[in-house]
Amino acid sequence: MSFSGSILNAQVLFATGDTMAQQAVERRGVDKHDYARTGRMALYGGAVFGPAATTWFKFLQEKIKFQNANLTIAARVLTDQCVFASTNMFVFLSSMAIMEGSSPKEKLESTYTTALTKNWMLWPAVQAVNFKFVPLEHRVLVVNVVSLGWNCYLSYLNSRGK
């Protein structure tokens, strides 16, 4: 998938995850849907996550290589979770707070640890499968598909932390 295709996919799927949160989890109904919130999620997905994840997966593919394939996968998952996941969570929550006009410090204090802990319950297994079986050009797409549920959770967590 092209770089721009990865960005567009991330944008659409972040917006879809938020829509799922608002309609399926929070049961707001269309008349009370917060379109600005969906827009913020789409903006983050397209402007931040899509480009960052695409670049990150390429970096992992090129720079983390061992003779043992399983060691390579383990090292990529560990690096992904220690570096990218923790940084992305920080940037996501801070960005949302800034776009909402609230305090990034308060948002991080109220939600970061919970979100990162939940992240570590899901993403290491997803990434291990992703790195083992999925070609580089499709890894962001796999992450974005799994992210439908994850972004639904993040959107819900973010809106609760207001």
Side-chain angles (χ1 to χ4, degrees), residues 5-50:
S6 295
I7 292 169
L8 181 60
N9 278 338
Q11 185 173 32
V12 168
L13 292 170
F14 265 72
T16 303
D18 175 69
T19 300
M20 289 169 53
Q22 290 192 52
Q23 299 306 319
V25 177
E26 299 166 32
R27 301 195 183 278
R28 287 175 165 246
V30 175
D31 56 323
K32 293 184 180 174
H33 188 92
D34 183 347
Y35 292 97
R37 176 175 143 184
T38 303
R40 289 189 296 271
M41 289 291 288
L43 178 62
Y44 183 83
V48 179
F49 184 81

Side-chain angles (χ1 to χ4, degrees), residues 61 73 76 126-143:
Q61 182 77 16
I73 292 165
R76 287 177 183 167
V126 171
Q127 293 296 53
V129 170
N130 202 15
F131 294 142
K132 175 115 179 142
F133 299 110
V134 180
L136 174 62
E137 63 270 14
H138 299 300
R139 288 184 186 154
V140 173
L141 179 60
V142 168
V143 167

Side-chain angles (χ1 to χ4, degrees), residues 64-132:
I64 299 183
K65 296 178 182 180
F66 295 96
Q67 288 184 341
N68 180 302
N70 289 331
L71 179 58
T72 297
I73 292 165
R76 287 177 183 167
V77 170
L78 183 64
T79 304
D80 180 63
Q81 291 304 299
C82 291
V83 177
F84 188 79
S86 58
T87 303
N88 181 60
M89 191 62 63
F90 178 88
V91 173
F92 171 78
L93 293 168
S94 299
S95 298
M96 288 298 126
I98 290 165
M99 288 189 279
E100 293 163 355
S102 63
S103 166
K105 182 178 185 284
E106 289 175 14
K107 176 75 73 176
L108 290 166
E109 287 173 352
S110 68
T111 58
Y112 182 80
T113 302
T114 300
L116 193 58
T117 301
K118 298 290 186 194
N119 173 88
W120 288 336
M121 293 173 167
L122 171 67
W123 287 105
V126 171
Q127 293 296 53
V129 170
N130 202 15
F131 294 142
K132 175 115 179 142

